Amino acid sequence: MNEDIIVAIATSRLEAAISMIRVSGPDCIAFVQKFFTGKIIEKPSHTINYGYIIDDGKRIDEVLVNIYRGTRTFTGEEMVEINCHGGVYITSRVLEVCIKNGARMAERGEFSKRAFLNGRIDLSQAEAISDIITAKNSYATDLALKGISGSISGFIEDLKEDLIQIITQIEVNIDYPEYDDVEELTASSLLPRSANLLTKMNKILDDSKNIKLVKEGIKTVIIGRPNVGKSSLLNALLREDKAIVTNIAGTTRDIVEGSISIDGVVLNMIDTAGIRETDDIIESMGVEKSKELIHQADLVLLVIDGSQSLSSEDMQLLELTEDATRIIVLNKADQGTKVDLDGIVISAKDNQISTLTEEIKKMFELGKIIDNNDHILTNARQTMLLQRASQALKQAVEAMEMMIPTDLIVTDLYECWNNLKEILGEKAKEDLLDELFKRFCIGK
């Protein structure tokens, strides 16, 4: 595993003051020494060394070379970082020299993959590295930093410890009943610990349900009958004329999209066709699409013309969005307000929408999701595996409540264990046996 030397440009491939080329693999310090004039063979780890990159005896660039020995590196193997001048051409030339001397171009994510394979990070930490690169706001960044520091690893290890205590007790009772100092277990005696563990898992799943909003943004649909100012609101939020605004009903027939960040809260905005009865086939298709989006949205902005009395179409939309997470927006405040509803009064035409943006921030307090919860999963893969673990444990708990013998229950507990291990990218086949021998003096 990892027997070759890999290389890649680790900084942006644009003109800059400095570019950095990363090299990793066995004896890569000696490898770089072949085309670097500075003396690094005998230098200690984590030092910076001055010299030139050369090719066929010709100087290519003046560089600083960082060397990292042993396993206390990002990849868990010997590493070198070449800091050259940031021109596009010169960076490519230094990369060419590395490849010419025998290095292989790294695949996408291969440095992080090696860190995982070498045991420097677990799978949840590797995913967090990707998350911090793609973070769209400060909340997603904070979440990724927690993952990199091992927050997920920590609480998953705690769940595994609780579970292994239950499993090992069962196994000892099954395989070594002659041990006098081993407590004889029954399903009823295992139930409290198992039920408590199930509660912990479900609490983590519940706390993690809004993480998608933190990372990907809030899918926000603007709904209303024609000419209430939906497109004007979209343009005001995006601060650009993204949607066509006219006094002609049915102007917006298709979906218009855009994204906005409100103090770090990302809204993925969708302006929809005005919902009304129409004989126009194209407009009718847009209306049906608008209705579908209501059920897919994280937030519905129901726009009503506050300067007019409620119409029958407004009443239908109030009923249609009743079960959705919604904000009722009373638009056209510049023309007066005649509607008596509990909503946010704005004038999209005059860009007077601050009351709406404040309400959105209050409704989605993403910072509190991050700050108040240390036990949060960060992606769908982790959530799916914990759901499977929880389901397997739930089946075991139900079996215990039915007083089914413990040797029949342990299969579900094994399934729970395997899913917990998979969250961290660990193999789960033989480590249960290791735990048994570590915790009990069996067969000594």
Side-chain angles (χ1 to χ4, degrees), residues 310-365:
L310 289 175
S311 68
S312 59
E313 290 169 332
D314 291 327
M315 297 301 293
Q316 290 174 3
L317 286 171
L318 284 166
E319 183 178 350
L320 184 63
T321 61
E322 188 174 10
D323 296 328
T325 300
R326 75 178 180 188
I327 298 176
I328 298 174
V329 181
L330 305 179
N331 192 25
K332 303 190 180 182
D334 52 298
Q335 300 178 27
T337 303
K338 296 181 180 179
V339 176
D340 184 18
L341 277 177
D342 184 15
I344 304 298
V345 180
I346 68 163
S347 173
K349 175 185 175 183
D350 296 334
N351 289 319
Q352 296 176 2
I353 60 172
S354 59
T355 52
L356 174 59
T357 57
E358 288 300 319
E359 180 65 19
I360 293 172
K361 287 191 292 183
K362 188 187 304 180
M363 180 176 289
F364 295 92
E365 296 180 299

Side-chain angles (χ1 to χ4, degrees), residues 16 42 58 77 85 89 102 132 139 187 234 276 285 346 367 437:
E42 303 298 331
K58 180 182 177 181
E77 60 190 14
H85 288 93
Y89 169 76
I132 201 167
Y139 305 123
L234 176 68
R276 65 169 182 169
M285 292 173 64
I346 68 163
F437 278 95

Side-chain angles (χ1 to χ4, degrees), residues 3 10-11 17 46 57 66 95 101 103 109 124-125 138 148 155 162 180 227 234 255 327 378 384:
E3 294 180 353
T11 46
H46 293 72
N66 305 353
L95 179 65
N101 280 273
S124 70
Q125 290 173 299
S138 61
I148 290 173
F155 67 75
D162 290 344
D180 295 333
N227 279 351
L234 176 68
I255 306 302
I327 298 176
T378 60
M384 176 194 68

Side-chain angles (χ1 to χ4, degrees), residues 23 173 283 305 380 399:
V23 186
N173 273 264
E283 185 182 354
D305 184 348

